[in-house]
Amino acid sequence: MRRKHGLHFGHKKKKVNVPIVKEVISWIVEIVIILVIAFVFVYYIGLRTSVVGQSMSPTLENRQEILVNRFIYSITDPKPNDIVVFLPNGNEKSHYYVKRIIGVPGDKVIIKDGAVYVNGELFEEEAETAAILDAELAEEEIVLAEDEYFVLGDNRNNSEDSRYANIGNVKKEYIIGKAWFIVSPYQDFGFLD
């Protein structure tokens, strides 16, 4: 009797184990989903930066590390009392500045007798601040353009902010995002109000 297919040494054709293949594919899909979520979280919400100087004291202190939500201002605009992170004049070689929004586009801001007035009314502070000793540019009324924000540090007499020509009004395109969480030092760990 002649064999039709050559020599045969008892090899059987291997069957694919379908449940194991399904399990492997399931794991791969889950890993890809987790990586995408992690990337989105880190890129849009997890930018980490350090506070430089005492300009936001007592809300934020020098060398505290904070997380910045970069996504929030793509769906909404910054609001008064938001703590924002920005690059002064868009200078990418500068460190990030962290300040509080006082005036939004269209607002009129002036500092009189040590107090901040927006659109003729005393600004409602969410942080405890001292009377401002030097109004600088805000001694005269400042009218904010369509894409400009007026920012101040909470430590009003030790802050380089919109009162000074080298910072001035902050354009929306220079705002990186909203400061929302303190990550370091550990004893200050938590959300910003």
Side-chain angles (χ1 to χ4, degrees):
M1 187 174 187
R2 228 171 153 183
R3 293 188 181 169
K4 295 181 183 176
H5 299 295
L7 297 174
H8 187 336
F9 294 103
H11 291 300
K12 292 182 182 176
K13 192 172 183 181
K14 292 186 178 179
K15 291 182 182 178
V16 175
N17 190 335
V18 176
I20 289 179
V21 171
K22 284 183 178 178
E23 183 74 19
V24 169
I25 290 172
S26 169
W27 276 83
I28 290 171
V29 168
E30 287 179 23
I31 289 170
V32 168
I33 290 170
I34 289 169
L35 289 175
V36 168
I37 290 170
F39 172 78
V40 168
F41 182 79
V42 169
Y43 186 78
Y44 288 107
I45 300 175
L47 174 69
R48 185 175 177 156
T49 190
S50 294
V51 177
V52 177
Q54 296 296 328
S55 71
M56 283 301 292
S57 180
T59 307
L60 292 168
E61 299 295 339
N62 188 34
R63 296 190 183 146
Q64 279 184 321
E65 293 193 6
I66 58 174
L67 291 180
V68 180
N69 182 338
R70 297 200 295 192
F71 177 71
I72 189 77
Y73 294 140
S74 61
I75 58 173
T76 184
D77 290 324
K79 298 182 296 300
N81 279 305
D82 281 1
I83 298 173
V84 295
V85 176
F86 66 95
L87 289 169
N89 301 309
N91 182 356
E92 293 185 11
K93 294 182 180 175
S94 174
H95 65 82
Y96 291 125
Y97 277 55
V98 182
K99 306 290 179 200
R100 187 177 297 276
I101 298 250
I102 303 299
V104 298
D107 281 350
K108 296 174 183 170
V109 180
I110 191 168
I111 297 174
K112 294 189 296 193
D113 303 321
V116 181
Y117 292 85
V118 177
N119 301 323
E121 296 189 17
L122 188 62
F123 182 72
E124 279 192 45
E125 302 279 2
E126 284 194 4
E128 193 172 316
T129 60
I132 298 172
L133 301 176
D134 194 357
E136 290 288 330
L137 296 175
E139 193 169 43
E140 302 289 324
E141 186 175 75
I142 296 171
V143 179
L144 298 169
E146 207 173 282
D147 67 338
E148 292 181 334
Y149 294 84
F150 188 88
V151 298
L152 293 174
D154 287 353
N155 187 356
R156 300 286 157 84
N157 295 308
N158 187 15
S159 176
E160 186 179 30
D161 46 41
S162 289
R163 294 174 289 167
Y164 299 93
N166 60 327
I167 301 296
N169 298 332
V170 178
K171 292 185 180 286
K172 185 175 182 184
E173 67 186 279
Y174 302 151
I175 296 175
I176 305 301
K178 181 178 181 178
W180 68 282
F181 198 86
I182 301 171
V183 293
S184 172
Y186 181 72
Q187 64 268 22
D188 298 327
F189 192 82
F191 290 97
L192 284 163
D193 295 328

